[in-house]
Amino acid sequence: MNKQSSAPSFTADALVAEDIDAYLEQHQHKGLLRFITCGSVDDGKSTLIGRLLYDSKMIFEDQLAALESDSRKHGTQGTEIDFALLVDGLAAEREQGITIDVAYRFFTTPKRKFIVADTPGHEQYTRNMVTGASTADLAVILVDARKGILQQTRRHSYLVHLLGIRHVVLAVNKMDLAEYDEAVFRQIVDDYGAFAKEAGIERFTAIPISGFKGDNITASPSPNTPWYNGLSLIEHLETVELASTAAQDRSFRMPVQWVNRPNHDFRGFSGLIASGTVRPGDAVRIVPAGRTSMIERIATFDGDLDEAVAGQSVTLTLTDEVDCSRGDVIAAADDPPQASDQFCATIVWMDEEALKPGRGYWLKLGTQTVTATVQPPKYEIDINSLEHLAAKTLELNAIGVAEFATDRPITFEPYARSRELGGFVLIDKFTNATVAAGMIEFSLRRAQNVHWQPTTTTREQHAEMKNQVPRVLWFTGLSGSGKSTIANEVEKQLALMNRHTFLLDGDNVRHGLNRDLGFTETDRIENIRRIGEVAKLMADAGLIVLTAFISPFRAERRMVRDMLPEGEFIEVFVDTPLDVAEARDVKGLYKKARAGELQNFTGIDSPYEPPETPEIRVNTVDMSPAEAAEHIISRILPLK
């Protein structure tokens, strides 16, 4: 075995014997580099990490003793069997034939500390790779010298660039199996360089290695690659610029995690400084509100500081009593971040269920959580050719660009400038699953040019003039359940009571406002979104609005509910079994759907998600339309 694995740079420093306190102090203040190993399947990621861990002497003493015992028992050379057993332990997933998660490992050298993320190579686990890369400063992209550049090499390289990693190492692994052929190495570097240029990767460092033999991993140079005169992998990792250092050079930003007020004499805003430096007396701006103040104190558990930098968790007090809460960002007054409710972003879709344009998702960016809707993608990116492809949605592992709208302005910066304020995740509101990772590119111009125009007459005055409380009665149920019939009966009875109403019927609306929409899942979502906005405007005018729509998805009914003040949205579930609704089939739609002449029909080849806790439930099997209407009105009265 190549003996360079026991490199002098990993031997115990003489300082340990001379002054242990000084050594511990030195170790405590070492910089930390987070990096990721990625690439295609079986390119040797776990083997490489095993080599780094073994050579950095971070194996527990009892593990070493056990391995040495096994070495003597089997009569083999200790170094080789120790490393082989370590690699086998790291690669236990081979029993299943696949790595299915991200494994994080820690090791250290005399110069720096490291956290490495070992990510899976299979395409179906791209989301795991994105997770590992999201906090990394550097990426080691492994390539099997025998196979060259593969699809996953390109996919992971593009994602690495997309996620803002600017330090890229092309580690051409298994050079021992390629006879340490320089021509093989050079060809792979040339092929990768051509792709990197197209992908926007400005620079990368190529190193020929053997993870198993140890060539160019820890000691330099390897006698097996006399034609290579660059740094070894570990030497390169020890010398690249740390992200925390670069972050300190940017303008001050601190997302507020919580407001700390143990007594009336102290009001502090706690959080992790994302970038820049802050000192008492600095002028700051609270975003998105825009109010300004000055830093009074920088408080920590160990006492006040004269200065705090990126990466530190602190509590700031201000000289003024300003409105500031969780999700706000305290920033340099003369260079604040943007705030907008519309922006364009690149997203990596990570869920088995495809993106639903128009559906409301939770968007979490730093300490901010808002409702966001995604427009149909502008395009999807072909990972091989980097072409922009037309797309109506995004499937698992797809990468695309789309426009977003949020229910209130969020504070952000372009991802290229700030990971902390430019990167976000989307979360499904019902399953709480993280479905996508996103990188904000820019705010939409229309968001800056369109402002809310205040009006003198309020919605409360509109309702007072009509002597009633606004309501949105949202009738939902299968086709043929009786929604329109019952809604019409309710409106008729309310009219006799001199109530001001308006009925929005699903079929009627599709003759005008929504005539451009079909019945795909995406179109159904947009159909309900538009109706929700119209119903909200009518409620603002003081009307009692009745809507009769199948509205098959809970997420969209929840979206409309969230548009209105609490208590104004009344979900009325017209609970009719499918066989009863199909037997009625007044419009002949079920017959067409069963014959395959009508696609995406709710209850047949498109799902219906019944309400779980509707305010009102009516059963049209046991109740006539008039009885159902009386029941509904009795539940919503008094209206004033």
Side-chain angles (χ1 to χ4, degrees):
M1 187 176 194
N2 193 327
K3 294 299 182 182
Q4 66 174 325
S5 61
S6 54
S9 64
F10 288 111
T11 58
D13 196 293
L15 186 59
V16 177
E18 296 177 3
D19 190 343
I20 187 63
D21 291 333
Y23 174 80
L24 292 175
E25 178 71 15
Q26 181 189 73
H27 179 77
Q28 182 180 359
H29 291 90
K30 288 179 186 176
L32 173 65
L33 176 71
R34 296 175 179 269
F35 70 98
I36 179 177
T37 60
C38 54
S40 196
V41 180
D42 295 331
D43 53 15
K45 295 184 292 295
S46 293
T47 303
L48 173 62
I49 292 174
R51 169 64 61 184
L52 291 171
L53 290 178
Y54 177 78
D55 286 353
S56 61
K57 303 298 184 185
M58 290 305 292
I59 310 171
F60 292 117
E61 293 298 328
D62 57 344
Q63 290 177 309
L64 283 173
L67 294 175
E68 290 172 1
S69 175
D70 284 345
S71 172
R72 290 191 297 271
K73 184 185 302 182
H74 291 88
T76 56
Q77 185 178 355
T79 302
E80 291 198 35
I81 191 167
D82 289 357
F83 178 64
L85 288 173
L86 174 60
V87 170
D88 187 60
L90 286 169
E93 67 272 6
R94 290 176 183 169
E95 295 177 5
Q96 298 179 342
I98 185 171
T99 305
I100 59 175
D101 208 344
V102 181
Y104 293 92
R105 309 288 177 180
F106 171 85
F107 67 97
T108 185
T109 73
K111 295 182 179 180
R112 186 169 281 178
K113 294 181 285 189
F114 303 91
I115 295 177
V116 54
D118 180 11
T119 62
H122 289 69
E123 181 179 350
Q124 61 265 43
Y125 295 105
T126 298
R127 53 190 167 188
N128 302 66
M129 179 268 174
V130 172
T131 299
S134 62
T135 57
D137 308 316
L138 178 146
V140 178
I141 300 174
L142 281 90
V143 176
D144 189 324
R146 301 166 300 172
K147 300 177 182 178
I149 307 301
L150 301 177
Q151 178 174 324
Q152 277 300 80
T153 313
R154 290 188 284 268
R155 178 182 297 275
H156 284 185
S157 297
Y158 185 80
L159 286 170
V160 159
H161 172 68
L162 194 64
L163 291 164
I165 297 176
R166 295 296 173 254
H167 298 296
V168 177
V169 175
L170 178 68
V172 183
N173 195 22
K174 303 185 182 181
M175 287 299 300
D176 54 314
L177 301 181
E179 305 299 330
Y180 298 101
D181 190 334
E182 180 182 7
V184 170
F185 174 74
R186 299 300 177 195
Q187 184 61 54
I188 291 174
V189 173
D190 289 345
D191 293 344
Y192 186 81
F195 173 80
K197 184 177 181 180
E198 289 185 50
I201 300 174
E202 297 179 358
R203 64 181 67 88
F204 65 92
T205 301
I207 305 176
I209 67 171
S210 169
F212 184 69
K213 296 292 186 180
D215 296 282
N216 297 321
I217 303 294
T218 59
S220 178
S222 166
N224 294 316
T225 55
W227 39 266
Y228 174 74
N229 57 10
L231 297 176
S232 68
L233 177 60
I234 198 65
E235 288 172 334
H236 181 74
L237 296 178
E238 287 180 326
T239 54
V240 297
E241 182 186 29
L242 296 176
S244 58
T245 302
Q248 293 177 20
D249 297 332
R250 303 199 303 267
S251 296
F252 172 67
R253 309 275 189 266
M254 191 191 82
V256 176
Q257 292 178 312
W258 66 87
V259 178
N260 191 335
R261 192 162 196 170
N263 54 62
H264 295 291
D265 298 327
F266 182 89
R267 185 169 185 254
F269 307 99
S270 302
L272 176 69
I273 299 177
S275 64
T277 303
V278 65
R279 303 174 183 86
D282 284 355
V284 292
R285 187 180 302 272
I286 313 301
V287 186
R291 299 179 182 86
T292 58
S293 185
M294 295 180 65
I295 300 296
E296 182 180 47
R297 294 173 53 195
I298 305 175
T300 71
F301 182 79
D302 297 320
D304 286 7
L305 301 178
D306 295 329
E307 177 183 273
V309 299
Q312 287 183 277
S313 293
V314 297
T315 297
L316 304 178
T317 66
L318 305 178
T319 56
D320 303 289
E321 189 77 13
V322 298
D323 184 15
C324 181
S325 58
R326 176 179 171 83
D328 291 340
V329 175
I330 302 177
D334 59 351
D335 184 24
Q338 301 179 54
S340 177
D341 60 358
Q342 296 181 64
F343 54 86
C344 183
T346 300
I347 55 175
V348 182
W349 194 256
M350 304 190 298
D351 195 51
E352 299 284 350
E353 185 177 348
L355 164 70
K356 299 295 187 299
R359 171 164 291 179
Y361 296 94
W362 291 122
L363 184 150
K364 184 172 176 56
L365 191 160
T367 58
Q368 306 170 85
T369 301
V370 297
T371 294
T373 55
V374 191
Q375 298 303 306
K378 290 184 173 182
Y379 56 83
E380 182 180 340
I381 299 169
D382 185 302
I383 203 65
N384 291 308
S385 65
L386 300 181
E387 290 181 306
H388 295 175
L389 307 177
K392 293 183 178 180
T393 184
L394 295 175
E395 304 285 348
L396 176 65
N397 295 328
I399 305 168
V401 173
E403 294 179 353
F404 286 72
T406 57
D407 62 346
R408 60 182 182 276
I410 61 171
T411 303
F412 72 91
E413 290 188 293
Y415 188 83
R417 181 177 180 183
S418 171
R419 277 187 177 185
E420 295 79 9
L421 290 178
F424 63 87
V425 295
L426 291 182
I427 301 170
D428 187 283
K429 286 191 170 185
F430 285 90
T431 65
N432 285 323
T434 299
V435 296
M439 289 69 67
I440 297 178
E441 295 183 5
F442 53 83
S443 171
L444 298 183
R445 182 176 295 178
R446 62 175 176 264
Q448 307 303 320
N449 295 338
V450 178
H451 305 279
W452 188 265
Q453 177 64 41
T455 56
T456 302
T457 306
T458 66
R459 70 190 315 273
E460 289 76 17
Q461 288 174 317
H462 281 297
E464 186 67 29
M465 285 187 287
K466 296 175 178 61
N467 195 37
Q468 63 186 29
V469 177
R471 289 285 189 272
V472 173
L473 303 182
W474 193 274
F475 291 79
T476 177
L478 293 169
S479 176
S481 62
K483 300 181 299 299
S484 296
T485 302
I486 296 172
N488 185 67
E489 185 66 28
V490 171
E491 185 179 40
K492 184 174 70 173
Q493 294 190 28
L494 288 174
L496 293 173
M497 301 166 63
N498 293 320
R499 301 300 179 182
H500 298 263
T501 64
F502 196 88
L503 172 59
L504 293 168
D505 183 78
D507 284 352
N508 294 349
V509 169
R510 284 185 177 272
H511 283 285
L513 176 66
N514 292 344
R515 67 186 304 171
D516 60 319
L517 299 178
F519 291 90
T520 64
E521 193 165 343
T522 298
D523 283 349
R524 287 175 181 270
I525 292 171
E526 175 60 13
N527 182 55
I528 298 306
R529 187 196 69 79
R530 293 183 190 179
I531 296 306
E533 294 288 356
V534 171
K536 178 181 180 297
L537 291 174
M538 289 184 167
D540 286 345
L543 295 175
I544 299 169
V545 188
L546 302 93
T547 74
F549 294 83
I550 295 175
S551 48
F553 307 118
R554 296 189 187 106
E556 280 59 65
R557 299 194 297 266
R558 166 62 67 178
M559 173 182 66
V560 179
R561 183 187 293 272
D562 291 342
M563 293 179 183
L564 297 161
E566 186 174 355
E568 284 194 14
F569 182 90
I570 308 296
E571 190 172 37
V572 182
F573 179 28
V574 184
D575 189 0
T576 303
L578 176 60
D579 58 339
V580 175
E582 186 169 0
R584 294 172 180 170
D585 204 11
V586 178
K587 301 174 184 178
L589 300 179
Y590 283 99
K591 183 178 180 180
K592 289 182 179 180
R594 292 295 186 187
E597 300 173 6
L598 190 60
Q599 303 298 317
N600 301 312
F601 190 74
T602 303
I604 305 300
D605 59 351
S606 184
Y608 177 76
E609 299 172 354
E612 295 176 323
T613 55
E615 279 78 9
I616 302 174
R617 181 191 301 266
V618 293
N619 184 339
T620 59
V621 175
D622 301 326
M623 306 172 75
S624 68
E627 291 171 334
E630 289 178 6
H631 174 68
I632 293 168
I633 293 175
S634 68
R635 294 289 303 276
I636 64 175
L637 288 177
L639 294 171
K640 180 62 179 176

